Amino acid sequence: MADSLRTRVTRVIAGGAHALLDKIEDAAPVAVLEQSVREVEQITDEVRAELGRIVANRHLAQQQHLQLNKEHDALSASVTTAIAESREDLAKQAIARQLDIEAQLPILETSLSEMSQQDKELSGFVDALMGKKREMEKTIQDFEASRRLAETSNLRKNPAATAEARMNSAQSAFDRTFRRQTGLNGAGSGGLEQAAKLNELNQLVRDNKISERLAELKASH
């Protein structure tokens, strides 16, 4: 594996999600963490691609090593036959080829050993990166949960703000419903006017329910 990729993997694994969170001064810390998760995914894909290349090359080297061993064994039988037939010229050619094979086999075996080690290392990196991704996702979940808890705590500490927020929400809901049912503007701030419109709205809703119930009963008969 290239040193640059190994360095990136090491940096990601060594970095702490909580430490990153502590340094964030941005208004959207979750977005920053999610970007870090995507970086982990990208590096994981690169490591997997490198692992795939190593596995393929290792398979080819194993096949070549097997074929050379088979050829070496076959040549040994050929040398025996050539000597028995007094064909030293053929025996020499077979022996020369065996020497070439014997020179290649140690190189292949060293390469296979290195690729086996790389395979093991890359597989370990993939596992570590996947674990890091799960850790960062858990950090995001914990951070969001703590933020929701803090918001809930602030509301409990300031019930007046909570009541005001509920009142504003109810007022907005009323205005939307009133405009939808009557085509008129919202209730405004006048108490009597608001009460009158509320009564009118309630009556409209009740009339609609009565009409719907009557239509259902007619349809069922």
Side-chain angles (χ1 to χ4, degrees):
M1 182 173 60
D3 288 340
S4 59
L5 184 56
R6 179 183 285 104
T7 300
R8 291 168 63 197
V9 172
T10 302
R11 176 178 58 80
V12 168
I13 298 301
H18 289 283
L20 177 63
L21 193 60
D22 291 339
K23 295 178 181 178
I24 292 176
E25 297 179 357
D26 194 274
V30 172
V32 176
L33 285 174
E34 288 174 343
Q35 176 60 38
S36 299
V37 171
R38 287 191 289 272
E39 180 185 1
V40 171
E41 291 174 342
Q42 179 183 349
I43 296 176
T44 303
D45 289 341
E46 293 179 31
V47 174
R48 282 177 172 153
E50 181 71 9
L51 177 58
R53 187 184 69 81
I54 293 297
V55 170
N57 290 341
R58 184 183 176 191
H59 175 72
L60 292 175
Q62 287 173 332
Q63 292 296 107
Q64 186 178 3
H65 187 271
L66 180 61
Q67 291 299 326
L68 288 176
N69 275 299
K70 287 182 177 180
E71 184 181 354
H72 192 279
D73 292 341
L75 287 168
S76 295
S78 297
V79 169
T80 300
T81 301
I83 292 173
E85 296 292 331
S86 298
R87 293 294 305 273
E88 291 187 2
D89 58 326
L90 296 179
K92 287 180 178 179
Q93 290 181 7
I95 291 172
R97 176 56 184 161
Q98 280 186 317
L99 291 174
D100 289 341
I101 291 173
E102 290 168 6
Q104 294 178 49
L105 286 176
I107 305 300
L108 275 175
E109 289 164 0
T110 299
S111 179
L112 282 169
S113 177
E114 291 175 351
M115 284 188 284
S116 178
Q117 183 62 34
Q118 289 176 329
D119 186 337
K120 182 178 180 181
E121 180 184 38
L122 289 168
S123 296
F125 279 152
V126 170
D127 291 341
L129 286 167
M130 293 303 295
K132 190 66 176 181
K133 179 185 174 183
R134 288 189 291 270
E135 173 192 322
M136 297 182 78
E137 289 174 337
K138 181 64 165 56
T139 300
I140 293 174
Q141 293 173 359
D142 291 345
F143 175 77
E144 291 180 325
S146 65
R147 188 163 58 181
R148 287 193 297 270
L149 182 62
E151 291 174 353
T152 302
S153 177
N154 288 336
L155 289 175
R156 288 176 178 172
K157 291 179 181 178
N158 191 354
T162 303
E164 182 180 357
R166 290 176 177 173
M167 183 180 298
N168 291 335
S169 177
Q171 180 65 52
S172 297
F174 171 81
D175 289 343
R176 288 194 302 270
T177 304
F178 187 83
R179 284 193 297 270
R180 185 171 62 252
Q181 296 290 342
T182 67
L184 301 176
N185 292 327
S189 59
L192 292 177
E193 182 181 358
Q194 179 174 325
K197 289 183 178 180
L198 182 58
N199 288 334
E200 184 179 353
L201 176 60
N202 289 336
Q203 187 60 47
L204 284 171
V205 172
R206 178 177 173 79
D207 291 344
N208 286 336
K209 287 182 178 180
I210 292 172
S211 298
E212 290 172 359
R213 178 67 61 85
L214 178 59
E216 290 174 0
L217 291 172
K218 286 181 177 180
S220 63
H221 288 79

